[in-house]
Amino acid sequence: MHKVRLAIVRQKYRPDGGAERFISRALEALESDRLDLNIITRSWQGTPNPDWHLHICNPKKWGRISRERGFAEAARACWQREKFDIVQSHERIEGCDIFRAGDGVHRVWLEQRARIVSPLQRFATRFIPYHHYVMQAEEQMFRSDSLKKIICNSEMVKRDIIRCFQVPEEKFAVIYNAIDSQRFQPATEATRHATRKQLNIPADACALIYVGSGFERKGLRAAIEALANSDRYLIVVGQDKQLSRYQQLANQLNCLDRIRFVGVQQDVISFYHAADALILPTLYDPFPNVVLEAMACGLPVITSFGCGGAEFITEGQEGFVCDALDIKALNDAVNAIPSKAVDSAMSEAARSRILPYTPQRLAAELHSLYQQVLLTS
């Protein structure tokens, strides 16, 4: 039996990215005598597995559209030349066999972003060529006869694609991301105490954590506004060019003394261990890995209807879900979160909810998907 030649397409491969973690977990779990793994990329960070074949496609670029279009053309030329059995793209490129919609639908993101920008910015967005390019690339890819399957990491994204592009139901596979629940575990008394001491958060206080860079999209403003009218603390992990604006907002709302901006962290686990819940009122996020990580660490989650992670939350059990801009509902949720030291029922519910989503399960679902694609090739 010949090896199945699988090509994964990702423009910039960073080991710490959400899509890359999906890819690496999938590839590690799928590695076998029957699979020949290929990565088509513009640039690779980190050390690639020696068994993977790298195909570097790095044409010249003069701006965002040139970068996207140039890579798309080079990647397509590569896979047509190499005649792979399956091409799984994590970029919007027409002609792939499988597309993983890890970034959701661009039009839906613009619809959500329109809720928080000024009327002038909304108007100007219509004339930005990059947005037109991305929406056109999505349209061509989703309507292409070559596309056999779409991997979504939430039902929300599947609904968005069906609404925007009328793709038939049978083309979809909803495969949730995997989480290593051995690595991400609830805090011990010692780890909780140590990080709280380092962050100067009182042992008996209730603290929430926000994790994510790109504060506008992921809702840090709403998180700060929801926290202001409470006695809760907030740990902010991540970076943003507009950081000072968020610090000023917290200062105006008289809650800066309860917020700890800690920047980007290589290892977030100790910060999860200092917290009692995750707050992520994101405008649009297909399914952020931080939701799974936090829940594995025993943190209930407060998030929005625009977050695929909401699918893992039953109201009041593993957390709370509301509109990303509903500050009153967010504030109610913030105040309803118990300190884990007082009541750990939500904490236990959060962790048990994610336990089935192992790398082995992800691998089995992908393996089954590849078999289906090969049968229709």
Side-chain angles (χ1 to χ4, degrees):
M1 179 180 167
H2 89 294
K3 283 190 175 188
V4 172
R5 297 181 71 223
L6 169 68
I8 304 271
V9 183
R10 181 67 171 165
Q11 186 164 185
K12 283 179 92 169
Y13 199 104
R14 299 191 339 262
D16 60 333
E20 288 79 1
R21 277 182 283 178
F22 175 89
I23 294 168
S24 63
R25 279 180 189 144
L27 295 185
E28 279 157 23
L30 284 163
E31 271 183 81
S32 70
D33 302 337
R34 295 171 298 176
L35 205 58
D36 177 53
L37 295 168
N38 297 265
I39 308 278
I40 301 174
T41 185
R42 185 188 281 280
S43 67
W44 181 288
Q45 291 178 14
T47 312
N49 183 310
D51 296 333
W52 303 351
H53 306 292
L54 280 188
H55 304 264
I56 302 293
C57 296
N58 190 18
K60 283 192 167 60
K61 52 186 187 288
W62 295 272
R64 284 210 290 180
I65 295 176
S66 149
R67 179 191 69 200
E68 300 297 317
R69 183 179 283 134
F71 178 73
E73 289 169 356
R76 193 183 301 114
C78 172
W79 81 57
Q80 287 172 345
R81 184 174 64 247
E82 292 279 344
K83 295 185 168 51
F84 297 114
D85 297 311
I86 301 176
V87 175
Q88 175 180 316
S89 183
H90 292 242
E91 310 290 347
R92 303 165 175 101
I93 305 175
E94 184 186 0
C96 57
D97 300 298
I98 300 171
F99 174 65
R100 181 174 183 268
D103 296 327
V105 177
H106 197 68
R107 187 171 110 197
V108 179
W109 155 235
L110 293 179
E111 288 167 3
Q112 289 301 319
R113 186 171 177 266
R115 301 174 64 202
I116 59 162
V117 298
S118 69
L120 183 62
Q121 283 173 296
R122 261 202 306 277
F123 181 73
T125 298
R126 296 183 204 169
F127 302 99
I128 295 173
Y130 174 74
H131 295 314
H132 288 276
Y133 171 80
V134 174
M135 288 191 284
Q136 186 185 16
E138 278 187 341
E139 179 102 19
Q140 288 170 340
M141 183 191 61
F142 284 125
R143 298 202 188 285
S144 166
D145 292 337
S146 310
L147 185 65
K148 299 179 182 76
K149 286 286 179 183
I150 300 160
I151 300 173
C152 298
N153 55 2
S154 62
E155 293 285 347
M156 177 188 84
V157 172
K158 175 181 163 181
R159 287 194 302 271
D160 290 341
I161 294 170
I162 291 173
R163 171 168 73 87
C164 294
F165 303 103
Q166 297 77 53
V167 177
E169 180 95 23
E170 62 269 14
K171 280 203 174 183
F172 291 91
V174 175
I175 300 179
Y176 290 109
N177 290 0
I179 181 70
D180 181 349
S181 58
Q182 292 308 301
R183 181 168 166 238
F184 291 91
Q185 293 215 10
T188 61
E189 268 305 308
T191 55
R192 180 178 168 90
H193 179 73
T195 314
R196 286 201 163 207
K197 193 173 177 187
Q198 178 196 331
L199 292 169
N200 192 24
I201 294 174
D204 59 348
C206 183
L208 287 86
I209 188 169
Y210 163 101
V211 184
S213 296
F215 292 166
E216 179 188 72
R217 177 167 73 91
K218 292 184 183 277
L220 181 57
R221 182 186 182 91
I224 292 170
E225 288 175 347
L227 186 95
N229 192 18
S230 76
D231 61 354
R232 302 334 203 193
Y233 283 71
L234 179 65
I235 305 159
V236 178
V237 180
Q239 67 182 7
D240 192 280
K241 292 191 200 96
Q242 306 290 340
L243 171 65
S244 60
R245 190 181 289 177
Y246 294 90
Q247 290 168 324
Q248 283 167 3
L249 171 69
N251 196 33
Q252 286 160 9
L253 296 173
N254 298 317
C255 60
L256 186 58
D257 60 326
R258 287 184 283 116
I259 301 184
R260 307 289 182 261
F261 291 93
V262 299
V264 173
Q265 297 292 328
Q266 281 307 106
D267 188 0
V268 186
I269 295 177
S270 63
F271 294 92
Y272 287 135
H273 285 174
D276 297 288
L278 173 78
I279 182 165
L280 196 73
T282 181
L283 274 169
Y284 187 62
D285 211 329
F287 200 131
N289 275 316
V290 298
V291 169
L292 293 173
E293 292 172 0
M295 291 175 82
C297 290
L299 302 190
V301 174
I302 299 169
T303 193
S304 65
F305 297 124
C307 175
E311 290 164 26
F312 277 30
I313 294 159
T314 303
E315 190 74 3
Q317 286 184 29
E318 299 91 357
F320 301 94
V321 184
C322 62
D323 185 85
L325 304 181
D326 187 341
I327 305 304
K328 168 77 172 66
L330 285 167
N331 176 255
D332 289 346
V334 163
N335 284 315
I337 292 287
S339 166
K340 287 207 297 190
V342 176
D343 181 359
S344 61
M346 283 181 95
S347 168
E348 285 155 18
R351 179 161 167 89
S352 41
R353 181 69 178 85
I354 59 83
L355 287 176
Y357 295 90
T358 60
Q360 292 74 21
R361 175 182 176 143
L362 172 65
E365 289 175 329
L366 277 172
H367 185 71
S368 156
L369 179 72
Y370 294 151
Q371 294 308 315
Q372 290 173 43
V373 170
L374 286 168
L375 286 170
T376 59
S377 294

